Every structure is written in C-alpha cells, then in structure tokens.
Amino acid sequence: MKSISRRALMLYALVAVFLVGSGILFGTLYVNADKWAMRRENRHVFSGGALIAAGTITDERGEVLAETKDGKRVYNDSKKVRTATLHVVGDAGGYIATGVQSTYKDALTGYSFANGVYDIKKYGKGNDMALTINADLCVAAYDALGQNKGTVGVYNYKTGQLVCVASKPAFDIANKPTQSIQNDTTGAYDGVYLNRFFSGLYTPGSTFKVLTSAAAMEHKPSLLQEDYTCTGENPIDGGSVKCNAKHGKLNFEKALNVSCNSVFSKVTVEVGKEGMSETMNRLGFNTSMDIGSIHLAKSRFSLENASDLDLGWAGIGQYTTLVNPCHMLTIIGSIANNGQKTMPYLVESIRSQSGREIYSDRPKENAEPEALFTPEVAKELQKMMRSTVKNKYGDSKFPKLEMCGKTGTAEVSSENGGKKPHAWFVGFSEREDFPYAIVVVAENGGSGGSVALPIASKVMKKAADLYLK
C-alpha cells in the first residue's frame, strides 16, 4: 500500500508540474504571440525586413494611400501625396515609429491570437484601414510650410477627426533617398523620421499667453479688469522681462492683441506658481497622452525651482516650458468647444476582409465629456482670441471664417547656436458649419506673424474649399 501511495503522489506531482508548465507556456504564448508573429523573419508578413501583408490604407474620401500588390507595399500615384502623408502612413521598414504601418501593424496584417496569420494566407493581405485625414489638405499644408521644417495639424474640435497632419522634412516613400539621408551634412534631413506633430516638443512663445490668460481667469479674475502700463519691460527681482514694444496704457484684452510681455509677465507673477501649475497640470502638461495607439511626446511645465523672474518668463511661453503641437491643438480645440475636450483621432475604422469593422478610434458615444475649462472661461478666451485676429492680424487673412487665434515667436536658447525663433500659430473658426482648429509650428522659422500666420491662412483657406459648401 505504501508503494502505491508513493506512486500516486509521484503521479500527482508530475500532473501538477505538467499543469504549471502548460500554464506558463500558454501565458507566455498569449503575452508574446503577437510579438513573435510580427518578427521580421516571418515571411508571411515581411519580406526583406519590410511589411508586405498589410491591408489597404485610405484617406477620408477613400483615396488609396498604401496597399499590397503582388506581395509588395505600393503607395499613392501622386508624389506630392506620398510625401505629404509619409509620417502618418509610415514606411514598411518601420523607421517612422508613429506611422500607422508601425503602430497598427498587428491590426493591418490581420493577425489575431485565435487565427494567427490564417487570414493573410487566405486573402493575400491583411485588414483595411480608413484614416480621418484628407490627402489634399495634407499636401496643401506641406506645401505651405515651404522651406521650413515643422508641422501643421488641423482637426474638427467637435468630432475629433484629424483632417490634416503634415510634418517636414519628409521624402517620397516610393523613391527613398537612402544615401542622401545617411550622408546628409546639410541638416536638410534632420529628424526626417520624426513626426513633429505627434513627437515634437517646442518652446511655445506667445501662444502660451492664451493659457496664462486662462490661469488668470481661474485664480485671479480681478486681473482682467485692471489697466496696465507697458514701458517696454517689466522689472522683476533685479532683472526684467523685455517687451517687443512700449505699448503704453492698455487693458488685458489689448495686451493679448499686441502680445505684451510686460503685462503677461506681471500677471503671471500675480497668479503665482501654485495657480499656474494647477492650471497647466489640469490641461495635461507633465502627463502622457495617446492618440489611439500613437504615443505623444509629453508637454512639460515646471516651476519647481523658478524665481519670480523665471515665473514671468514662463508666463510668456519661455523659461523651460515645452509643448507638443498635438497637445496644444487639443487645448485650443477645447477653448473653441466651450471648454469641452474632444481628443483628436486618426483611425476612422479598420475592417476585416469580410467588411466587418473590428476597430475604430472614434470617441465612444454617450461618453462623459471632459471639461478643460468652464464655459465662462472658454467664452472669454474665445472673445479675446477673436479680438486678436480682428484687431491685430486682420480678418482678410481668413476670409469669412470668423477666426480666433494667436501667434507665437518662441526664442530658443543660445545652446542651439543662435538659431531663429520657432514660429507658431494656433487658432480656430467660430463658424458652426466649419468647426476646425489649427496649429502651425515652423521650426526656427522666425516671427509667428510673418511666417506661421501666412501658413495657417493658406491651410485654412484650403480647408474651407474642402469643407464649406
């Protein structure tokens, strides 16, 4: 009997080891199967290290941006479209980390844990993806950037649809200048694989004064009723914040119109570190954000060791503050949307070869909206930004669009070799039938008013041609 008992115990032990081993094997397979399937050695999915089995990618109108033909990835017939949409679509080799061919490669290939690569073998390609962008608007934005490196983004601030994402420099994906990129000594291809809209971080300059205005409204609303005097600088702690002019007597709204550094640095010190930090953290600074499967660079705002002079510079968009363009567009869109935050999204749908929708980044219906601003603060910001366009830039820049906006000229540190400032524009249309917001960054482009504003004008005019009936 003892012998039988020992044998039974050994059998139970073996069964237990088998079950534990099977559990570990299954768990490892479940966690890592997609990574193993997506290895570049998998010839069902890759050839020569390049993705070949993905489905068709289209823009909002059904224009084909990328597809698989005869076992190869091919792209739009137009060189301009291929170049302007490069960073959104991505490359088959995965160099552009935020391109949808990289971030959504599992879904595009049709791989699933249950079926593996069965659908790829059955249909010869994976699932089809419809994007929210308009290829023609991306081309217009890319062209409008001219010789500037930088980015342009446009989205519908009510629905969240990203209709334009352009990043420069880029290249024609069908004729990649590999040697020119690898051997570049001119800087023409610096950051060519980086989508500056999703992954860029820039000193915001005077566009940040819109956010400082919000902090003042929330923490020191009496500051909006005061009259100010600008003598060309604001002395603080033995130093000073220089202004771009001697504006004389002016109120808060006029200070935003003329982008008065003296007034805004003074207001920032009055709001204080705690008030400024509370508002910026609530707006998403120092927090990771995602657009579907695309991870955004984290905007940074910190006053931890700031003096009052540093605080004054921070309030006008300088100091150590860095902003991601997509994040800034989301904040500006929230102002336009009466304080309600609508996150941008890029993937309208992914459909299986049978036509069934299996994925979408569309905001969920009946989801509880997040408020970045109270309606009262949003309305006041709308009024001030509308006044800035009417009284400073001129409505002729945006005919019949009822634009609200703010330029920025962001000085960069001397560590960058004395390069020109980053030129910014942020804004939106108040028209009910044209709910679009825009962000423009011309990297080391110079003045926001002379460089970024004309870019925004061209892009919004093209958007009006496409969406206003």
Side-chain angles (χ1 to χ4, degrees), residues 314-466:
I316 64 170
Q318 296 292 156
Y319 190 46
T320 60
T321 303
L322 294 172
V323 182
N324 170 259
C326 183
H327 178 210
M328 180 63 95
L329 181 63
T330 304
I331 295 172
I332 297 302
S334 301
I335 295 171
N337 199 30
N338 297 324
Q340 299 298 312
K341 176 183 175 182
T342 302
M343 281 296 291
Y345 74 97
L346 181 62
V347 177
E348 184 64 38
S349 67
I350 297 177
R351 294 185 179 276
S352 68
Q353 293 304 312
S354 64
R356 180 174 59 89
E357 182 174 293
I358 58 174
Y359 180 85
S360 175
D361 279 334
R362 289 189 303 271
K364 292 181 173 60
E365 293 184 13
N366 302 320
E368 187 68 27
E370 179 184 353
L372 290 189
F373 307 94
T374 65
E376 294 76 20
V377 168
K379 287 291 185 183
E380 187 64 28
L381 293 172
Q382 291 169 15
K383 181 172 77 73
M384 292 172 61
M385 294 176 73
R386 179 75 185 108
S387 170
T388 300
V389 172
K390 285 196 296 185
N391 299 321
K392 180 64 175 178
Y393 314 138
D395 274 336
S396 61
K397 299 289 195 302
F398 306 97
K400 300 180 181 179
L401 294 186
E402 300 174 19
M403 280 293 288
C404 307
K406 184 72 186 76
T407 59
T409 304
E411 300 292 340
V412 292
S413 71
S414 58
E415 294 176 356
N416 288 304
K419 291 183 178 180
K420 292 192 293 185
H422 300 321
W424 280 80
F425 179 83
V426 295
F428 55 90
S429 170
E430 286 191 314
R431 288 187 56 155
E432 286 291 328
D433 56 351
F434 190 70
Y436 292 93
I438 184 170
V439 62
V440 175
V441 183
E443 193 174 300
N444 303 119
S447 163
S450 61
V451 177
L453 181 60
I455 294 171
S457 174
K458 291 176 183 177
V459 175
M460 291 303 278
K461 286 176 182 176
K462 178 63 177 180
D465 289 341
L466 291 169

Side-chain angles (χ1 to χ4, degrees), residues 274-288:
E274 186 175 335
M276 289 293 294
S277 297
E278 190 282 327
T279 295
M280 300 314 147
N281 287 332
R282 197 190 69 253
L283 295 181
F285 283 81
N286 310 311
T287 302
S288 297

Side-chain angles (χ1 to χ4, degrees), residues 119-160:
D119 286 345
I120 301 173
K121 292 189 285 186
K122 179 179 179 181
Y123 296 105
K125 62 174 185 175
N127 299 321
D128 294 334
M129 173 184 285
L131 300 177
T132 59
I133 61 167
N134 183 292
D136 288 347
L137 189 57
C138 292
V139 169
Y142 190 85
D143 288 346
L145 281 166
Q147 298 301 311
N148 297 292
K149 295 174 183 173
T151 186
V152 178
V154 180
Y155 94 126
N156 185 314
Y157 57 77
K158 292 190 178 295
T159 66

Side-chain angles (χ1 to χ4, degrees), residues 214-261:
M217 292 173 194
E218 293 168 351
H219 297 282
K220 289 276 187 174
S222 62
L223 293 171
L224 277 69
Q225 311 305 321
E226 293 185 16
D227 290 324
Y228 299 88
T229 300
C230 170
T231 61
E233 63 178 330
N234 177 32
I236 308 175
D237 282 349
S240 67
V241 173
K242 303 294 183 182
C243 199
N244 53 10
K246 294 181 180 180
H247 295 117
K249 292 185 177 181
L250 67 173
N251 61 20
F252 193 80
E253 182 176 304
K254 181 68 178 297
L256 185 69
N257 292 172
V258 299
S259 202
C260 180
N261 290 345

Side-chain angles (χ1 to χ4, degrees), residues 32-343:
N32 296 297
D34 58 338
K35 297 178 184 177
W36 295 338
M38 292 298 114
R39 290 183 64 86
R40 298 187 183 279
E41 293 83 359
N42 187 343
R43 295 186 180 181
H44 293 296
V45 182
F46 295 92
S47 176
L51 185 70
I52 60 170
T56 300
I57 302 172
T58 57
D59 78 348
E60 65 166 355
R61 306 159 304 171
E63 180 84 7
V64 174
L65 304 178
E67 60 184 328
T68 297
K69 284 186 176 180
D70 300 323
K72 291 183 179 180
R73 288 303 273 172
V74 295
Y75 299 86
N76 191 273
D77 292 337
S78 166
K79 177 181 177 180
K80 282 194 168 187
V81 170
R82 293 194 299 266
T83 305
T85 61
L86 170 71
H87 290 93
V88 171
V89 174
D91 61 315
Y95 290 96
I96 301 171
T98 57
V100 295
Q101 292 194 113
S102 293
T103 54
Y104 291 88
K105 63 179 180 290
D106 292 12
L108 274 170
T109 58
Y111 168 82
S112 71
F113 181 75
N115 294 328
V117 294
Y118 172 77
D119 286 345
I120 301 173
K121 292 189 285 186
K122 179 179 179 181
Y123 296 105
K125 62 174 185 175
N127 299 321
D128 294 334
M129 173 184 285
L131 300 177
T132 59
I133 61 167
N134 183 292
D136 288 347
L137 189 57
C138 292
V139 169
Y142 190 85
D143 288 346
L145 281 166
Q147 298 301 311
N148 297 292
K149 295 174 183 173
T151 186
V152 178
V154 180
Y155 94 126
N156 185 314
Y157 57 77
K158 292 190 178 295
T159 66
Q161 292 167 295
L162 272 168
V163 294
C164 173
V165 176
S167 181
K168 202 167 191 175
F171 55 84
D172 177 5
I173 188 64
N175 298 283
K176 182 179 178 180
T178 304
Q179 292 302 314
S180 296
I181 293 172
Q182 291 177 348
N183 301 321
D184 177 42
T185 58
T186 66
Y189 288 105
D190 282 353
V192 71
Y193 296 121
L194 182 78
N195 186 336
R196 284 159 161 80
F197 180 71
F198 293 131
S199 303
L201 282 173
Y202 297 97
T203 304
S206 291
T207 59
F208 196 79
K209 289 171 183 170
V210 176
L211 280 57
T212 299
S213 299
M217 292 173 194
E218 293 168 351
H219 297 282
K220 289 276 187 174
S222 62
L223 293 171
L224 277 69
Q225 311 305 321
E226 293 185 16
D227 290 324
Y228 299 88
T229 300
C230 170
T231 61
E233 63 178 330
N234 177 32
I236 308 175
D237 282 349
S240 67
V241 173
K242 303 294 183 182
C243 199
N244 53 10
K246 294 181 180 180
H247 295 117
K249 292 185 177 181
L250 67 173
N251 61 20
F252 193 80
E253 182 176 304
K254 181 68 178 297
L256 185 69
N257 292 172
V258 299
S259 202
C260 180
N261 290 345
S262 296
V263 170
F264 273 89
S265 59
K266 185 177 296 186
V267 164
T268 306
V269 173
E270 288 289 326
V271 173
K273 289 184 182 181
E274 186 175 335
M276 289 293 294
S277 297
E278 190 282 327
T279 295
M280 300 314 147
N281 287 332
R282 197 190 69 253
L283 295 181
F285 283 81
N286 310 311
T287 302
S288 297
M289 295 175 60
D290 295 320
I291 303 297
S293 295
I294 299 170
H295 186 66
L296 301 185
K298 186 190 299 185
S299 296
R300 304 171 191 170
F301 183 84
S302 175
L303 300 172
E304 185 176 357
N305 299 310
S307 65
D308 279 354
L309 181 58
D310 295 332
L311 180 57
W313 283 110
I316 64 170
Q318 296 292 156
Y319 190 46
T320 60
T321 303
L322 294 172
V323 182
N324 170 259
C326 183
H327 178 210
M328 180 63 95
L329 181 63
T330 304
I331 295 172
I332 297 302
S334 301
I335 295 171
N337 199 30
N338 297 324
Q340 299 298 312
K341 176 183 175 182
T342 302
M343 281 296 291

